[in-house]
Amino acid sequence: MTSAELLDKFSVFPRDVENIRAAGRMITPQLEAFVEQWYVWLRGQPEYAQFFPDGGNQARVSQLQVRHWQEFFAAEVNDFYVARRTHIGAVHAHIELPNDIYFAGMGRWFQLIIETLRSQGVPADELLDMSVSINKLIKLDTFLVIDTIARIARERIADHSRAMMEMSTPVTPIWEGILLLPLVGIIDSTRTAEIMNKTLTKIAESRSRVFVLDISGVASVDTGVANQLIKITKATRLMGCESIISGVSPSIARTMVELGVSIGEVKTTATLRDAFELALKAVGVVDLGHGHRAGIGH
């Protein structure tokens, strides 16, 4: 969203900009004392000790606060202004500042601004106009910060999900020409798409001839999951790789029959051991114990 769109969204009009700048002319000369008043409030909050142990960094952060409010009262809401507020949101996300203390803090800033303007003798009608305008820009600022925090939180969750998916989808060579993928947990459409991509990529890289898909650790199988797994095996067959689904428990077999899922030419086994034996035969191993292969003399 551009700065112009934000101003329109939060109804910050030229008259509001004039009001904010007029308030700034009264507050800015005493801005450092104004910021210190806010820290008097903050020092009474439990979060202060968490984020400023022994008072460390407060002086530096106070100076940043002074600059922040100088920019606020200048009311030049442009792309630079938006970027600055977005950066504040990123910093707060990094230090994991709770949203409640941020909202409470912004509320305290607004209260201090109005108290300061009232102490300057601003007439009641002018004070009302100023307070409405200031409140609009504070809400715009707050939105930018909280929206950034929420976006970073979503990105972290997505990154974590991708990492977990990588860990939970280990397509592994277990013998020359044989790949194994043991599935554990819940299977959904997103995960099956990832399984498909990783499996086909691994087959192409390793030129494997057999792919064993072990589902003994899958929590449940419904029509959607079963059909997705069948699609994976069909895709591997197109690449010249035979698929075997192992770990088909009695309950899963019964469910697939009741759901009318057609497995076509896909081989299935009850245990991983049985699947491994089929896979070895498919790649030409006839006697695993003595290492003999088909076509090799005694």
Side-chain angles (χ1 to χ4, degrees):
M1 194 179 299
T2 66
S3 55
E5 289 171 333
L6 282 167
L7 288 170
D8 181 65
K9 178 75 71 176
F10 287 88
S11 303
V12 181
F13 303 120
R15 176 60 181 167
D16 296 306
V17 172
E18 292 176 11
N19 285 337
I20 293 165
R21 290 173 179 170
R25 286 191 288 272
M26 287 180 274
I27 293 177
T28 300
Q30 49 182 325
L31 202 49
E32 290 190 6
F34 174 74
V35 169
E36 178 54 31
Q37 279 185 280
W38 186 80
Y39 274 98
V40 169
W41 169 82
L42 184 61
R43 282 191 285 271
Q45 309 302 312
E47 288 82 2
Y48 181 83
Q50 179 182 351
F51 294 100
F52 295 100
D54 303 320
N57 290 331
Q58 187 196 307
R60 183 180 66 83
V61 178
S62 293
Q63 287 303 311
L64 293 175
Q65 290 278 15
V66 169
R67 185 171 68 176
H68 174 94
W69 289 102
Q70 286 172 339
E71 293 172 355
F72 179 90
F73 287 115
E76 291 286 349
V77 183
N78 49 28
D79 291 343
F80 174 78
Y81 184 98
V82 172
R84 291 278 299 160
R85 270 49 185 172
T86 300
H87 174 71
I88 291 170
V91 171
H92 286 177
H94 175 71
I95 65 174
E96 298 183 347
L97 183 77
N99 287 344
D100 59 346
I101 189 63
Y102 177 74
F103 278 108
M106 292 302 288
R108 182 57 181 160
W109 281 120
F110 180 71
Q111 186 180 8
L112 285 172
I113 290 169
I114 302 306
E115 290 174 357
T116 302
L117 293 173
R118 186 179 290 114
S119 70
Q120 295 286 324
V122 177
D125 55 343
E126 291 182 26
L127 182 61
L128 178 60
D129 283 346
M130 284 183 176
S131 66
V132 170
S133 300
I134 290 166
N135 189 45
K136 288 180 182 180
L137 191 54
I138 283 180
K139 286 181 177 178
L140 188 154
D141 277 20
T142 301
F143 161 74
L144 289 172
V145 171
I146 295 299
D147 185 61
T148 301
I149 292 172
R151 174 179 55 78
I152 291 174
R154 289 193 299 270
E155 290 172 355
R156 286 175 176 170
I157 292 171
D159 289 343
H160 179 71
S161 296
R162 281 192 292 270
M164 290 298 293
M165 191 171 290
E166 287 290 328
M167 293 173 61
S168 63
T169 315
V171 183
T172 309
I174 57 171
W175 194 272
E176 184 178 348
I178 302 174
L179 292 176
L180 169 66
L181 172 56
L183 292 181
V184 178
I186 297 173
I187 308 298
D188 56 21
S189 58
T190 301
R191 193 175 177 198
T192 52
E194 177 68 13
I195 292 168
M196 174 87 79
N197 292 335
K198 290 192 67 174
T199 300
L200 298 182
T201 299
K202 198 70 174 180
I203 290 172
E205 291 174 352
S206 63
R207 296 185 177 181
S208 296
R209 294 164 53 193
V210 182
F211 170 59
V212 179
L213 182 63
D214 184 66
I215 62 172
S216 57
V218 174
S220 62
V221 173
D222 57 20
T223 306
V225 170
N227 286 328
Q228 287 296 325
L229 295 179
I230 300 303
K231 285 181 181 179
I232 292 171
T233 63
K234 289 181 178 178
T236 63
R237 193 181 308 125
L238 289 174
M239 297 186 68
C241 182
E242 180 182 345
S243 291
I244 303 170
I245 298 180
S246 69
V248 180
S249 65
S251 62
I252 289 179
R254 184 168 55 253
T255 298
M256 293 178 72
V257 169
E258 290 173 352
L259 293 173
V261 176
S262 174
I263 64 171
E265 299 176 0
V266 178
K267 293 181 179 178
T268 61
T269 65
T271 67
L272 182 57
R273 177 177 178 175
D274 292 340
F276 190 37
E277 289 179 357
L278 288 176
L280 289 172
K281 290 179 182 178
V283 297
V285 177
V286 295
D287 189 342
L288 181 60
H290 294 85
H292 293 161
R293 297 173 182 269
I296 299 178
H298 286 28

